[in-house]
Amino acid sequence: MRGVVRSFLVSLWFMALTFPIVVIKVSSLDGSIGWRWENAVGIGIGVFVVSFIWRALLVRRGAMTPREADLEWLFTWLEVERNQRIAKAVGLFIGCNVPVLFLVSVGGWKGFLTSLHALEVGTVAALVLAHFGMILGGGALRGKQRGAVAVQWVRQTAASPLGRKGAVVALMAFVLPLPFFMDMYQVNIISSALIWIMLGLGLNIVVGQAGLLVLGYVAFYAVGAYTYAIGNLHFGNEYIGFWTFLPIGGLLAMLAGVLLSFPVLRLRGDYLAIVTLGFGEIVRVVLEGGSLSLNPILSLLPTSVVQALPASFQNTLDLGGPAGIGGIPYPGFFGMKLSMDDSIRLVYFVALGLTIITIIAVSRLRDSRLGRSWAALREDEIACEAMGINKVTAKLSAFALGACWAGFGGVLFAAKTSFINPSSFTFMESALILSVVVLGGLDSIIGVALGACVLILLPEYLRSLNEYRMLIFGASMVLMMVFRPQGLLPAKAIKRTMPVVTEPPMNEKAGAA
Amino acid sequence: MADIDWHYFLELLVSGVTKGCIYALIALGYTMVYGIIELINFAHGEVYMLGAFTGLIVAGVLGVMGFPETGILLIGGVVAVIYCSAYGFTVEKIAYKPLRNATRLSPLISAIGMSIFLQNYVRIAQTQDFLRYPNLIPDFAFLEPISDILRPSGFVIIVTSSLVMAVLTLFIKYTRLGKAMRATAQNRKMAMLLGIDSDRIISATFIIGSALAAVGGVLIASHTQQINFNIGFLAGIKAFTAAVLGGIGSIPGAMLGGIVLGCCESFAAGYLSSDYEDMFAFAILILILIFRPSGLLGKAKVQKV
Amino acid sequence: MYGKTWLGIVAVAVLTFSSMHGAFAAETIRLGVPGAHSGDLAGYGVPAYNAAQLVVDEVNAKGGINGKKIEIIAQDDQCKPELGTNAATKLLADNVDVVMGHTCSGATKAALPLYTDKKIVVVSPSATSPELTQSGSFPLFFRTTPSDDAQGKLGADFVVQHLKAKKVAILHDKGDYGKGYAQFVKEFIEKSGTDTKIVFFDGLTPGGVDYTPIIQKIARSGADTIVFGGYYPEASKLVTIMQSRKMKVNFVSEDGVKTEAFLKLAGKAGEGVYASSSRDYSDLPMTKAAVAAHEKKFSSAPGQFFMQAYAATQAIVNALEKTGSTDSQAIAKALRTEYVDTTIGKIRFDEKGDTVGAEFVMFQVVNGKFVEVPFKRAQ
């Protein structure tokens, strides 16, 4: 019963802690004081229940022993297989239905229905799947065979090249026709998520692979977006458009990455982080300032080239300031005239294509010579140098390549929203991209993709909760980290050891290979 | 300009130092936590915001009960300090303690999540509007002659934060707990082997850091006389910058960094353009880090293999 | 045995879902209310949402429009362009009939092409960027707030003709609203051809810890008038610093400052501040009722852009009633032709989408209240 006492004390603590903020309300109207005792009661009961679950989950994660959590009785009880099954059933049932209860309690039935409407594809599928998961889980627990067979099947498929190809084909067959079945909103937010997958994978090169903590990644994203917006303003016509600016945006972002990496080559860890944060802020302030002096660059160019430039490039460049730049066209498709819906669909396909290219490129890069040198740099800078890896090249290339993808993402972002202003490129965006990478699983491609989907789609799917949505978003970020600190789908450490030669003599082994 | 306008210079210097003191108070929390568990505690700015809110609410309640103004300021400050310490302690237990052995970036993300959560917690439980913070600082008669340079609130900020920082320095230097904190910051494993309970030290660090942030929160709210749920974000980033500028992990460094940053911003706004105030602050940070990669007072760590 | 239990649960769950889905379809008029409902600009978006709720509650209590209830679909965009497009596509997917909103010009600019394509009428209470109406690319866009250039012209005329300022300092908050206003004031003062000089033009970081250096710099420039483009929190910080320095300088600002919250935040320091806004109709029974309803439902005073949003929703409701349909062209025509009594006066909209009938005048804080300044503009 010590567990109950402990939970009771925890709930008392939280009631006291939240008391001034949650119970007392100073009216902005006349400075009068309102007392909301019902909130304290709610928090007390909520914390009492959650504290049990919290400790039980921490024990399961291995961060506590049952003794430390005062939950010995629970885990002793759980040692019996039958009880385990009951617990699992109860847990899953609660787990599946708590979101429903929550939605109902917050938004009432109507809010819940609206959310269902929004989530037709998402939640209902997830809830139904979760309910099926309970069957499977129950079955696996009982016989262990049925579940095991399924798991084994998945493993085998993933292991064989043919199976993997089959999985990719199946995935594509699911993903490609998607925009023709969903409404434009779903297409739109999935395109957002795809752009964020690209950003996440780009940042993953720097943070996950090379181990350089960057907090100003959004600056490169902004470079890409503004390249397209400004370029389109001055040069855009029916021939020069999205497809021209896509590589240019990538290249300019790459250049920005190289520029940034020079001063930070000497810095380590968090000093690097703060300098990149500063860089991001500087870029944003320049964008807000609204103009950029081009004279330092122009003075390097021959006069004939400068004179050939349009008037707006002769001296200072107008960046639009806080009013932003609008009228950015959607990507073109062989000069065809597309309706708005088709354009949004096209953005989806472009985003999908670029994401696939990114995934292929990133996974190739990881196994390349460069990728290996990044891994070495990440694990130990000194040992890496001692091994004869050029640290400068490795860092420069990590920054350049990482930034390049942000540039592509930025160009696509500008095309997708058709209007950009500096408010899309704040520090919060940088922090969110980093969260995508860490939350999904550092250095894991599928993990980063999942992270992007969770962090971009979660606030969208929580829309029906309206004012509670960012609260829950913040809380779920903490929870996901606490219970899965290694990320949702962490990368498996690649183990490639030299084959241990035991019995067979050398010549025989050579023959076998 | 041929000759320097000293009066104007002094004005800018004083407002820079005032701002710098606030940055320093918040930066101390960042730097202490960083020194011990190498975590950038992004939720620290929100603790500062909670301090300001708690102070306001207490002031509201006491105001209805008819307390005198100075009394309200003092009691409000003390209650805010106590509550913020409790918040700091709780945040550490929830969001960082379970991640003690995880990779370095996991607690960072957890901190970002915590920051979003706390902001919205206050927004929903209280209001999204700006609230007026009562002017509780009395007009000191002796400040009258220099009132265009130093306002009473500025005076209180400079005096209080110098006092708090002096106490902190003595505390860290001479008390048992302070020594244990320094030992843990230097080498946690070794400190544990010597019988120091590192969990307790970490909790203590969070409590002290949050208390300092609360002092900063109450002071700045009395200075600007308005708060909302979002004030912690910008102040947090600035304070973090100050901590790095001074050399993260170093306590005198955080104080110096805060004041240098405050003065940089003030002079940039006064002599150049406030449009690019933040840019100058960060540009100076980058320049300093290029020449002193461990900040102003940070010790360059020699990497041992 | 367990498997069967689970199957039962699944069946029940699926059944409840499907049955609930069936109950969803009801005949309502759907009013989309997108805006900044969270994030740092929530203080400007939430009041509009509240206003829409109050108007809709009132209409529904009377039985709706031609028997149809109005249903509000609120979407948050945090004043960010990309979330603006998400909110817009979400509203379009939910088949809204009319939209009242988007708080900021940025999000509005990003979202408008989508609404325009689907022919949805949009009435914004607070998007002030001139190009929204003047570009002509958004024929179904209306707003109940003056565009930056209209307000900038009023501010400039006031400074030059009424205050007869010699040296003007212009300050803005680097946002699209504040900077837009500041730039237009600057432009119109320069064009006025008088000896009024602009001695200072700069921006400040909203939410900054201390603005003392900026005030010091302005004081040093010898300006006799400060024009500020931005919102009330920064404005009240500025005037508080000015008061403590005993600076006697005119402070002129716009709609973002003319709010009760400014009076409360600035207190005594706010005395004498000028701010332009639509003419005050707070004595109208309708306005009083609106404020009272707000205090009753949300137990707080109405916030920024509440009146504009209230008027926008009233105009929409009126247009819906008059046309009796949800056809966009008809609604737009009604908005352009039918005068409607609102909390900001008897208004209709012109061809471009700007308000006709709501006069924008200059106010001054006198004894803790905004009082209209008698000021006739020389043409």
Side-chain angles (χ1 to χ4, degrees):
Chain A
M1 279 306 100
R2 272 176 54 212
V4 177
V5 175
R6 183 166 169 177
S7 282
F8 182 69
L9 289 178
V10 169
S11 80
L12 270 188
W13 169 258
F14 271 90
M15 275 159 82
L17 189 67
T18 52
F19 179 76
I21 303 283
V22 170
V23 176
I24 308 176
K25 165 127 185 164
V26 179
S27 161
S28 58
L29 200 60
D30 48 6
S32 64
I33 307 288
W35 302 87
R36 298 169 294 181
W37 294 107
E38 68 281 5
N39 288 346
V41 176
I43 283 187
I45 296 171
V47 170
F48 184 76
V49 175
V50 168
S51 113
F52 277 110
I53 302 173
W54 177 269
R55 292 202 312 265
L57 287 176
L58 276 185
V59 171
R60 273 205 52 190
R61 211 202 83 192
M64 266 179 171
T65 60
R67 204 184 158 73
E68 278 169 347
D70 288 333
L71 287 173
E72 277 163 309
W73 51 273
L74 179 67
F75 285 91
T76 331
W77 181 74
L78 274 179
E79 269 162 25
V80 186
E81 199 194 320
R82 197 190 128 87
N83 293 346
Q84 257 176 37
R85 242 167 16 223
I86 296 174
K88 198 150 206 162
V90 172
L92 277 168
F93 185 72
I94 294 174
C96 292
N97 289 300
V98 156
V100 178
L101 279 175
F102 182 79
L103 288 174
V104 173
S105 63
V106 168
W109 277 108
K110 216 172 125 249
F112 175 62
L113 293 176
T114 339
S115 75
L116 269 192
H117 193 70
L119 311 185
E120 265 153 348
V121 190
T123 318
V124 175
L127 284 175
V128 171
L129 266 181
H131 281 93
F132 271 111
M134 291 196 289
I135 305 179
L136 269 184
L141 265 175
R142 185 161 34 137
K144 303 236 169 177
Q145 288 103 343
R146 253 189 285 169
V149 166
V151 170
Q152 208 170 10
W153 181 77
V154 171
R155 276 214 191 114
Q156 273 172 355
T157 323
S160 76
L162 192 70
R164 251 182 284 171
K165 270 181 201 143
V168 169
V169 168
L171 189 68
M172 291 312 286
F174 173 69
V175 171
L176 278 178
L178 217 51
F180 297 101
F181 294 107
M182 293 191 300
D183 59 42
M184 285 309 120
Y185 168 66
Q186 305 274 6
V187 179
N188 203 24
I189 58 172
I190 292 177
S191 309
S192 289
L194 287 171
I195 293 179
W196 276 72
I197 293 179
M198 283 171 61
L199 290 177
L201 288 173
L203 183 62
N204 186 48
I205 295 178
V206 195
V207 179
Q209 299 195 24
L212 306 163
L213 180 54
V214 170
L215 287 178
Y217 192 62
V218 82
F220 308 125
Y221 186 43
V223 168
Y226 271 84
T227 303
Y228 182 32
I230 294 170
N232 172 63
L233 210 60
H234 297 298
F235 303 105
N237 59 32
E238 54 188 308
Y239 303 110
I240 300 177
F242 176 81
W243 297 106
T244 323
F245 289 112
L246 187 66
I248 297 178
L251 278 176
L252 283 180
M254 202 183 222
L255 201 67
V258 173
L259 268 180
L260 171 66
S261 63
F262 277 119
V264 302
L265 284 174
R266 278 179 68 196
L267 301 175
R268 277 169 199 264
D270 295 295
Y271 291 98
L272 177 77
I274 187 74
V275 167
T276 54
L277 189 156
F279 177 73
E281 288 296 291
I282 289 175
V283 166
R284 190 181 53 82
V285 172
V286 168
L287 293 178
E288 274 180 350
S291 61
L292 185 65
S293 170
L294 292 178
N295 290 331
I297 304 169
L298 293 180
S299 60
L300 299 176
L301 296 173
T303 342
S304 55
V305 176
V306 176
Q307 275 160 359
L309 285 169
S312 44
F313 284 87
Q314 297 280 354
N315 193 358
T316 50
L317 181 62
D318 184 20
L319 298 172
I325 302 175
I328 307 166
Y330 287 107
F333 191 65
F334 300 111
M336 274 162 69
K337 235 179 144 42
L338 297 173
S339 70
M340 183 70 83
D341 287 6
D342 285 335
S343 297
I344 293 175
R345 286 192 190 109
L346 181 61
V347 169
Y348 169 87
F349 287 120
V350 173
L352 187 66
L354 283 175
T355 311
I356 293 172
I357 293 173
T358 312
I359 291 176
I360 295 172
V362 168
S363 53
R364 289 285 162 115
L365 266 177
R366 186 159 60 178
D367 290 336
S368 72
R369 198 183 167 76
L370 198 57
R372 297 292 174 81
S373 65
W374 287 335
L377 186 71
R378 174 188 64 202
E379 298 303 336
D380 194 325
E381 245 184 89
I382 294 172
C384 150
E385 271 187 298
M387 292 294 289
I389 292 166
N390 187 340
K391 210 170 77 175
V392 175
T393 329
K395 279 190 179 175
L396 270 181
S397 53
F399 266 102
L401 282 169
C404 177
W405 261 283
F408 291 146
V411 174
L412 189 56
F413 170 79
K416 178 177 159 288
T417 45
S418 81
F419 168 84
I420 54 169
N421 70 6
S423 71
S424 305
F425 308 103
T426 60
F427 169 68
M428 204 58 219
E429 266 69 25
S430 289
L432 273 182
I433 305 173
L434 184 66
S435 309
V436 160
V437 176
V438 180
L439 204 123
L442 269 179
D443 205 13
S444 145
I445 292 171
I446 304 178
V448 171
L450 189 69
C453 289
V454 168
L455 283 189
I456 295 307
L457 299 183
L458 187 69
E460 290 295 333
Y461 282 152
L462 290 172
R463 266 184 185 280
S464 56
L465 301 174
N466 217 355
E467 66 170 330
Y468 291 92
R469 106 192 154 102
M470 291 318 280
L471 184 84
I472 294 170
F473 180 63
S476 32
M477 262 170 88
V478 176
L479 291 180
M480 280 189 267
M481 265 351 319
V482 168
F483 294 111
R484 281 199 79 85
Q486 70 280 47
L488 295 173
L489 284 175
K492 278 202 202 93
I494 306 164
K495 281 188 194 144
R496 289 202 183 88
T497 42
M498 294 284 281
V500 182
V501 185
T502 42
E503 272 175 308
M506 285 307 275
N507 52 1
E508 246 179 73
K509 196 182 166 270
Chain B
M1 229 180 303
D3 57 332
I4 302 166
D5 183 348
W6 284 107
H7 186 263
Y8 183 57
F9 177 82
L10 205 63
E11 275 182 346
L12 293 178
L13 183 70
V14 168
S15 60
V17 171
T18 315
K19 207 191 230 183
C21 283
I22 298 292
Y23 288 158
L25 279 177
I26 312 173
L28 282 170
Y30 274 109
T31 227
M32 285 169 69
V33 167
Y34 187 88
I36 289 188
I37 53 173
E38 301 217 329
L39 159 72
I40 307 172
N41 181 11
F42 270 113
H44 192 62
E46 311 322 321
V47 172
Y48 148 87
M49 179 267 295
L50 280 167
F53 255 93
T54 315
L56 174 77
I57 289 164
V58 171
V61 174
L62 293 181
V64 169
M65 286 158 73
F67 270 72
E69 283 190 347
T70 331
I72 293 181
L73 181 68
L74 286 178
I75 299 176
V78 169
V79 174
V81 164
I82 293 170
Y83 263 100
C84 279
S85 312
Y87 269 104
F89 172 80
T90 315
V91 164
E92 194 267 329
K93 284 277 177 280
I94 292 179
Y96 310 136
K97 189 163 177 254
L99 293 171
R100 204 51 60 72
N101 299 319
T103 55
R104 239 167 49 77
L105 285 177
S106 311
L108 185 74
I109 303 307
S110 179
I112 294 173
M114 204 55 180
S115 161
I116 298 177
F117 176 82
L118 286 176
Q119 264 186 38
N120 285 282
Y121 157 71
V122 172
R123 180 174 65 83
I124 293 168
Q126 291 290 324
T127 173
Q128 78 278 346
D129 297 329
F130 278 84
L131 292 174
R132 177 177 169 77
Y133 209 84
N135 183 14
L136 299 170
I137 294 171
D139 286 326
F140 299 108
F142 60 89
L143 283 177
E144 203 54 43
I146 49 164
S147 66
D148 56 337
I149 293 180
L150 186 59
R151 291 156 59 192
S153 53
F155 173 74
V156 172
I157 286 177
I158 293 175
V159 169
T160 319
S161 38
S162 326
L163 216 68
V164 167
M165 286 186 235
V167 170
L168 181 75
T169 314
L170 293 178
F171 173 82
I172 296 288
K173 199 141 195 187
Y174 294 113
T175 60
R176 219 181 134 76
L177 187 60
K179 282 177 188 162
M181 281 165 97
R182 277 188 293 152
T184 314
Q186 251 174 28
N187 191 338
R188 195 155 106 212
K189 248 187 210 146
M190 194 64 211
M192 276 164 84
L193 286 175
L194 291 173
I196 294 172
D197 182 353
S198 77
D199 274 347
R200 235 190 81 216
I201 296 300
I202 292 168
S203 288
T205 311
F206 270 87
I207 288 173
I208 296 172
S210 306
L212 294 174
V215 174
V218 172
L219 286 176
I220 195 64
S222 324
H223 184 62
T224 59
Q225 297 187 14
Q226 55 173 287
I227 53 170
N228 83 338
F229 67 93
N230 211 29
I231 56 168
F233 184 69
L234 197 66
I237 288 188
K238 287 287 171 64
F240 173 51
T241 311
V244 178
L245 189 64
I248 195 155
S250 146
I251 288 175
M255 302 177 190
L256 182 69
I259 288 168
V260 167
L261 186 71
C263 290
C264 275
E265 284 187 5
S266 180
F267 287 128
Y271 286 119
L272 299 158
S273 156
S274 54
D275 222 347
Y276 294 98
E277 175 186 300
D278 296 345
M279 197 170 128
F280 292 119
F282 283 114
I284 284 186
L285 172 85
I286 294 178
L287 277 180
I288 288 180
L289 287 188
I290 288 173
F291 294 108
R292 283 196 64 88
S294 315
L296 289 173
L297 297 185
K299 283 191 203 89
K301 254 191 200 159
V302 179
Q303 197 94 3
K304 286 180 196 143
V305 190
Chain C
M1 194 189 120
Y2 286 103
K4 271 182 195 160
T5 328
W6 290 122
L7 265 185
I9 294 168
V10 172
V12 170
V14 170
L15 274 178
T16 18
F17 286 142
S18 48
S19 65
M20 285 186 294
H21 238 75
F24 191 60
E27 271 296 294
T28 51
I29 295 172
R30 292 157 161 255
L31 172 68
V33 183
H37 300 161
S38 74
D40 50 349
L41 294 171
Y44 313 111
V46 174
Y49 177 36
N50 292 351
Q53 283 176 310
L54 292 175
V55 177
V56 166
D57 284 354
E58 198 189 318
V59 172
N60 284 347
K62 284 183 194 151
I65 297 171
N66 306 328
K68 279 188 189 170
K69 300 253 167 153
I70 304 179
E71 181 192 358
I72 288 186
I73 302 175
Q75 293 300 343
D76 181 18
D77 67 13
Q78 295 178 13
C79 271
K80 288 193 171 164
E82 70 274 23
L83 296 180
T85 56
N86 287 356
T89 43
K90 177 85 183 79
L91 289 174
L92 293 172
D94 287 347
N95 291 320
V96 289
D97 298 306
V98 201
V99 170
M100 195 288 288
H102 287 299
T103 312
C104 299
S105 300
T108 314
K109 278 182 206 162
L112 266 184
L114 298 160
Y115 294 123
T116 311
D117 181 68
K118 290 285 185 299
K119 303 210 166 30
I120 297 292
V121 170
V122 179
V123 187
S124 167
S126 51
T128 54
S129 169
E131 66 184 86
L132 286 171
T133 50
Q134 289 165 14
S135 69
S137 13
F138 310 116
L140 295 176
F141 176 76
F142 303 89
R143 63 175 157 212
T144 49
T145 184
S147 66
D148 289 333
D149 56 344
Q151 236 185 147
K153 181 93 175 68
L154 175 65
D157 286 349
F158 185 78
V159 167
V160 172
Q161 297 169 14
H162 186 87
L163 297 176
K164 304 207 166 44
K166 292 282 168 272
K167 289 180 171 178
V168 182
I170 301 178
L171 191 59
H172 60 82
D173 70 351
K174 298 199 247 181
D176 55 353
Y177 180 64
K179 194 172 182 184
Y181 174 77
Q183 276 170 335
F184 279 110
V185 171
K186 180 168 181 254
E187 198 182 314
F188 286 119
I189 288 182
E190 279 165 356
K191 271 193 203 155
S192 71
T194 54
D195 56 350
T196 308
K197 274 201 193 65
I198 291 161
V199 291
F200 176 95
F201 187 91
D202 218 337
L204 51 78
T205 309
V209 170
D210 189 10
Y211 298 132
T212 316
I214 299 168
I215 292 295
Q216 281 159 348
K217 197 178 179 191
I218 292 177
R220 195 167 174 245
S221 72
D224 52 21
T225 303
I226 298 176
V227 177
F228 174 67
Y231 295 105
Y232 65 88
E234 281 72 37
S236 69
K237 274 190 200 173
L238 291 171
V239 295
T240 312
I241 299 171
M242 281 163 60
Q243 187 210 27
S244 72
R245 286 178 52 93
K246 306 196 174 57
M247 255 169 90
K248 292 271 176 286
V249 175
N250 294 314
F251 192 92
V252 181
S253 194
E254 22 62 336
D255 222 6
V257 171
K258 203 240 151 196
T259 155
E260 290 298 308
F262 173 76
L263 298 176
K264 242 178 245 119
L265 282 182
K268 281 207 190 75
E271 282 296 309
V273 165
Y274 298 99
S276 59
S277 180
S278 49
R279 178 159 279 153
D280 194 5
Y281 289 94
S282 58
D283 290 338
L284 283 181
M286 182 199 290
T287 317
K288 277 188 181 154
V291 173
H294 187 281
E295 288 178 0
K296 189 168 167 239
K297 184 161 181 176
F298 306 104
S299 60
S300 65
Q304 188 82 50
F305 299 119
F306 173 81
M307 287 303 164
Q308 283 86 342
Y310 203 92
T313 321
Q314 283 176 315
I316 290 172
V317 167
N318 180 62
L320 288 168
E321 269 169 358
K322 290 278 158 60
T323 52
S325 78
T326 50
D327 174 59
S328 298
Q329 294 303 339
I331 295 173
K333 189 159 173 272
L335 285 171
R336 289 203 176 96
T337 51
E338 302 279 351
Y339 272 100
V340 53
D341 281 314
T342 68
T343 45
I344 59 166
K346 202 173 171 67
I347 59 164
R348 69 172 180 87
F349 298 90
D350 65 13
E351 274 308 302
K352 287 175 180 164
D354 280 314
T355 321
V356 179
E359 255 192 287
F360 293 93
V361 291
M362 197 54 91
F363 292 88
Q364 185 177 23
V365 183
V366 179
N367 295 329
K369 276 209 177 83
F370 280 108
V371 178
E372 195 181 320
V373 183
F375 160 59
K376 265 256 175 287
R377 279 201 253 183
Q379 288 310 309

